[in-house]
Amino acid sequence: MVWKGLLGLGIALTMGSAQAAGSDLNLPLSAAGYTPETYSKIVYRALDLTNEARILHGLPPLLWNASLSQAAAWKAQDMAFTGAVEHLDQFGRRVDARAIQFGYDQFEWLGENLAGGFRDPERVVQAWLNSPKHRDNLLRPEFQEVGIALVHDPHSPHQYYWVQVFGSEDHPSGIMEWTEGYHYANDGELEW
């Protein structure tokens, strides 16, 4: 899902690259089975793979953003709770409402990639790159920042839930655009 427009007031917090962010990664409550160090390595690997793809296509790397990470973590937990890999959360809210809730309330562009069923970052990032809508988000030149989260719930239908929330700081335009799509794995196959 991609949003473009001027929403709310405030500032975006940029945490820097994966290497610079260090222990600033927000650990979702339901990241069961992961130590904070292991969780950080997994999520930072997804960030590194995302940025490798962007650099390969002549785009600048995305910077880690704590507010977008919190929004991603909340959404990943919501998907694990409901078992649904879809952009509307259990309260009927889209990515813009969740980003604003976690302090990312002044933006021009906002996007979201979702996935369920992928255990490792290599497979989920490759699945996103193989999907036209997700690839468009991942390689959208307007995006400057990202938050990524993974939640593992062995009792939920897909067990592994990934969220990428992309954003860029506000530039006056007043225009709003969005697209959406999601992926989940079922025995290694992608489905819509």
Side-chain angles (χ1 to χ4, degrees):
M1 174 177 285
V2 177
W3 284 93
K4 182 175 186 266
L6 175 63
L7 297 174
L9 302 170
I11 59 170
L13 303 173
T14 303
M15 297 305 294
S17 70
Q19 292 76 23
S23 63
D24 292 328
L25 185 65
N26 298 297
L27 185 64
L29 297 175
S30 53
Y34 297 113
T35 65
E37 295 80 19
T38 300
Y39 181 82
S40 293
K41 286 180 185 178
I42 292 168
V43 174
Y44 285 151
R45 179 68 179 141
L47 175 61
D48 289 342
L49 291 166
T50 297
N51 280 334
E52 286 172 15
R54 289 177 62 85
I55 290 166
L56 188 64
H57 288 86
L59 299 169
L62 298 169
L63 302 176
W64 187 261
N65 182 284
S67 295
L68 294 177
S69 174
Q70 291 172 338
W74 191 96
K75 178 57 180 160
Q77 291 175 48
D78 181 70
M79 291 191 308
F81 177 76
T82 64
V85 181
E86 56 188 41
H87 290 283
L88 291 179
D89 63 30
Q90 63 183 303
F91 302 109
R93 299 177 309 164
R94 294 184 292 227
V95 64
D96 58 323
R98 293 187 297 272
I100 291 167
Q101 174 185 349
F102 289 101
Y104 200 83
D105 54 6
Q106 186 175 357
F107 55 85
E108 181 180 9
W109 286 88
L110 196 63
E112 181 177 66
N113 279 350
L114 308 177
F118 296 94
R119 182 181 176 127
D120 60 74
E122 290 79 12
R123 287 189 62 221
V124 73
V125 172
Q126 190 59 55
W128 283 329
L129 286 169
N130 290 340
S131 162
K133 289 181 180 182
H134 296 93
R135 181 184 178 89
D136 287 350
N137 274 350
L138 212 138
L139 300 178
R140 187 172 293 278
E142 292 85 359
F143 290 141
Q144 302 166 351
E145 302 169 309
V146 69
I148 302 172
L150 164 66
V151 168
H152 175 234
D153 181 349
H155 305 291
S156 192
H158 304 291
Q159 296 189 16
Y160 297 91
Y161 297 86
W162 288 87
V163 179
Q164 285 181 315
V165 180
F166 305 94
S168 66
E169 294 183 55
D170 177 42
H171 298 91
S173 70
I175 300 170
M176 195 174 265
E177 298 176 8
W178 62 275
T179 62
E180 62 182 47
Y182 62 88
H183 273 308
Y184 64 92
N186 184 1
D187 298 325
E189 297 296 319
L190 293 177
E191 299 181 17
W192 285 97

